[in-house]
Amino acid sequence: MAGGFRSRSTQNQSSNKSAGHTPARETNSNQRRSGNRAPSARGHNGRSSNDRGSSKAQRGRVDAPRIVAVGALIEVSEHGAYANLVLPKLLRAEKLSGLDAAFATELLYGTLRAQGIVDAVLAKVSSRSLQSMAPEVRAALRLGVYQSLFTRVGQHAAVDTTVELVVFLGQERARGFVNGILRTVTRTNVDVWLERLQPSTELGRLAFRHSHPEWIAQSFARVLGMHDLEAALEADSQRPVVHLAARPGELSAEELAVLTGGEVGAYSPYAVYLESGDPGDLEPVKQSLAQVQDEGSQVIARALAEAPTNGQDSGRWLDLCAGPGGKAALLGGLARVDGARVDAVEPAAHRAALVEKSCEGLPVDVHVADGRDSGLAKGYDRILVDAPCSGLGALRRRPDARWRKQESDIDELTGLQYALASAALDLLRPGGVMVYSTCSPDLRETRGIVDRLLKNNQGQVEELDAHPLACGMEDLGRYPSVQMWPHKHGTDAMFFSVLRKL
């Protein structure tokens, strides 16, 4: 897990560094959110969306970034909200930008990444279970422990601001309880906590130290082996850079890099990397000349357009699981260059509207339908099945997902994945190609589906070697399919296989 912002306080600095936890750079001394002064000396005016009627005096004791972070944490942990959706709303409500917004983001995402370790520490030192605590107390404690163990916020600042945060949230009676818990936590170095609480097995130890549920670590290990597991888990807790995709036929990656100040990507011919900033503010994105899209997704969309068919490509392409529209938009750009047209299928009307918005001006026709029974005419040359999946490959972008998902979810998804892939094969013309992809490395969602398709359609379909279609990526796994990884390729852990109908 990546560390946090640096407080000007130097208390206990050396005891808060752990291997694999890289602190962020020193913050500006006149940014009032690192907790280096007493809470009562700082005040952010205005009301928060999660302000529970606190007086102005109470609010003046708590800085706005922590108010945003704890509010978002409550929404995510207690109400099932998605961090990437709720946080921007709260930042706008508090009118936070720059370093204040960055600090709130670090607090929320860092706490979510470290939740497994944080909860284990709290369970060890608290006389009460986490579930018995009020949601506000639970969220504030998680935030406080994360700051104490994994950031360079001063220990006293982490404790004092958390206590004041609990009061602000209307839980004044828990003030002494929270103070005692955090002071107990801060008396022990993070490395000692990790050593003391880690499981006895090697896999359990790696999962705990990198704050992953053990079943997810086991899923990764089945693909990578134990020798590469730690690197994969560590990469999941690094902050990913933003990936942009230049729209084919409109803008080159080199031009997009110049316009945005980014860096041309390593693999996709459309990719540009951005280290920081809000991509929504960029003119090429506003003008639909570029879009935010992981480079792995770009490689998959391009693979469909480049995969060799038997017989002439008539220009009938299909995206069978199109929402929210990223791959459909890139396919639409490629189709326009090639003189093709894309049908995009999405069962949910609101997500279909997102696809239409993403593909505006492109040769893409959106259909609100179930991909298992779309009603579309057979005979497609190219079909993408970017199947609904567990999303285990995108945990670095969605740290809350690792605690939200259950292993039983995968068993429920595999039936849908196989049904969608089978429906796609039925719509494919002889000699046409289908790309089956997931944003998950779990074998049940990847090779399990492909191998089942090959077995149940012997003599009707063949698997092509997808490695030459991966834009020069190496170390893609031992199968003809492609498995990407954050620690190897800098992409999400995406999978794709290319099948051709005989």
Side-chain angles (χ1 to χ4, degrees):
M1 287 157 299
F5 284 72
R6 186 192 303 265
S7 168
R8 292 183 68 194
S9 171
T10 58
Q11 289 179 326
N12 298 317
Q13 296 287 310
S14 60
S15 65
N16 284 306
K17 302 176 185 177
S18 172
H21 302 279
T22 305
R25 64 182 180 273
E26 183 85 38
T27 59
N28 193 307
S29 61
N30 55 21
Q31 291 294 325
R32 297 173 298 178
R33 82 277 182 278
S34 63
N36 54 303
R37 290 184 290 173
S40 59
R42 295 189 313 278
H44 289 261
N45 296 322
R47 295 186 62 81
S48 165
S49 60
N50 62 312
D51 192 335
R52 302 169 186 270
S54 300
S55 68
K56 291 183 179 179
Q58 286 175 317
R59 182 179 174 80
R61 293 175 177 270
V62 185
D63 55 293
R66 286 184 172 90
I67 290 174
V68 167
V70 78
L73 192 58
I74 291 171
E75 289 299 316
V76 171
S77 301
E78 309 300 334
H79 305 298
Y82 292 96
N84 63 318
L85 299 180
V86 71
L87 179 61
K89 294 179 181 178
L90 294 180
L91 290 174
R92 286 194 297 271
E94 286 289 345
K95 298 179 179 170
L96 292 188
S97 61
L99 289 175
D100 276 351
F103 185 56
T105 302
E106 158 63 18
L107 288 180
L108 174 63
Y109 278 85
T111 302
L112 289 170
R113 289 187 188 99
Q115 186 173 311
I117 297 170
V118 167
D119 284 1
V121 172
L122 285 171
K124 184 69 174 177
V125 302
S126 175
S127 59
R128 297 170 53 191
S129 70
L130 276 169
Q131 292 308 310
S132 69
M133 299 176 191
E136 296 86 353
V137 174
R138 183 163 52 241
L141 276 172
R142 283 171 169 165
L143 208 65
V145 172
Y146 171 70
Q147 291 175 79
S148 299
L149 297 183
F150 295 115
T151 77
R152 294 186 179 179
V153 171
Q155 300 283 31
H156 290 299
V159 174
D160 293 345
T161 55
T162 303
V163 170
E164 296 298 342
L165 193 59
V166 169
V167 176
F168 167 76
L169 292 170
Q171 298 292 324
E172 186 165 4
R173 288 189 300 176
R175 184 173 190 159
F177 172 74
V178 169
N179 182 70
I181 290 291
L182 290 178
R183 293 200 180 279
T184 301
V185 171
T186 58
R187 282 196 289 266
T188 303
N189 181 278
V190 62
D191 292 322
V192 176
W193 279 122
L194 292 173
E195 189 70 27
R196 184 182 298 174
L197 298 175
Q198 67 184 5
S200 58
T201 65
E202 182 183 5
L203 187 139
R205 177 181 62 81
L206 291 175
F208 176 74
R209 282 182 168 267
H210 294 283
S211 205
H212 282 67
E214 195 164 324
W215 74 268
I216 293 180
Q218 181 66 66
S219 169
F220 289 6
R222 292 190 188 105
V223 183
L224 289 166
M226 290 299 296
H227 69 283
D228 217 12
L229 177 60
E230 185 165 18
L233 296 177
E234 184 177 2
D236 254 358
S237 292
Q238 301 300 316
R239 301 181 193 86
V241 299
V242 174
H243 292 182
L244 299 178
R247 181 158 289 181
E250 297 279 2
L251 203 64
S252 70
E254 290 76 13
E255 290 169 329
L256 180 59
V258 170
L259 290 172
T260 61
E263 177 186 353
V264 174
Y267 304 109
S268 165
Y270 324 110
V272 168
Y273 306 153
L274 284 183
E275 286 292 336
S276 60
D278 183 354
D281 292 336
L282 300 172
E283 283 303 315
V285 175
K286 290 180 179 179
Q287 297 176 22
S288 298
L289 299 176
Q291 63 189 34
V292 178
Q293 186 175 47
D294 186 86
E295 190 173 17
S297 293
Q298 299 174 41
V299 170
I300 290 171
R302 181 182 180 276
L304 178 68
E306 295 292 325
T309 62
N310 283 335
Q312 185 175 0
D313 186 340
S314 67
R316 285 193 73 203
W317 299 2
L318 172 62
D319 184 350
L320 197 61
C321 311
K327 291 186 180 70
L330 188 56
L331 281 175
L334 293 168
R336 183 169 57 185
V337 172
D338 287 357
R341 193 160 193 93
V342 180
D343 284 312
V345 174
E346 169 54 48
H350 71 283
R351 286 170 62 86
L354 294 176
V355 179
E356 289 182 339
K357 183 178 179 180
S358 297
C359 299
E360 187 175 358
L362 296 171
V364 177
D365 301 308
V366 181
H367 306 266
V368 181
D370 188 325
R372 293 168 291 186
D373 185 19
S374 64
L376 297 172
K378 298 181 181 181
Y380 285 95
D381 301 283
R382 303 178 186 276
I383 301 179
L384 173 64
V385 183
D386 187 36
C389 68
S390 64
L392 296 185
L395 296 181
R396 62 186 186 144
R397 299 189 188 276
R398 298 175 182 173
D400 48 314
R402 68 184 71 178
W403 313 113
R404 190 192 307 274
K405 297 186 181 299
Q406 305 292 328
E407 188 166 15
S408 58
D409 296 342
I410 293 179
D411 294 329
E412 296 174 4
L413 285 165
T414 53
L416 173 61
Q417 291 160 353
Y418 182 78
L420 287 166
S422 296
L425 284 178
D426 189 51
L427 292 170
L428 198 64
R429 71 162 174 83
V433 291
M434 179 186 88
V435 168
Y436 171 80
S437 66
T438 65
C439 187
S440 170
D442 191 284
L443 287 172
R444 290 164 288 187
E445 302 182 89
T446 58
R447 288 308 312 180
I449 301 298
V450 172
D451 291 342
R452 186 177 169 192
L453 286 170
L454 293 170
K455 179 180 178 182
N456 293 343
N457 295 275
Q458 288 185 21
Q460 301 175 57
V461 65
E462 61 179 339
E463 183 175 16
L464 304 183
D465 183 3
H467 291 207
L469 298 171
C471 299
M473 289 181 174
E474 298 180 349
D475 196 8
L476 297 169
R478 64 183 183 275
Y479 299 102
S481 50
V482 165
Q483 180 61 66
M484 307 176 214
W485 291 97
H487 68 290
K488 293 181 179 181
H489 310 106
T491 67
D492 289 345
M494 294 184 174
F495 167 92
F496 76 93
S497 171
V498 181
L499 302 177
R500 186 165 60 195
K501 197 169 185 178
L502 297 173

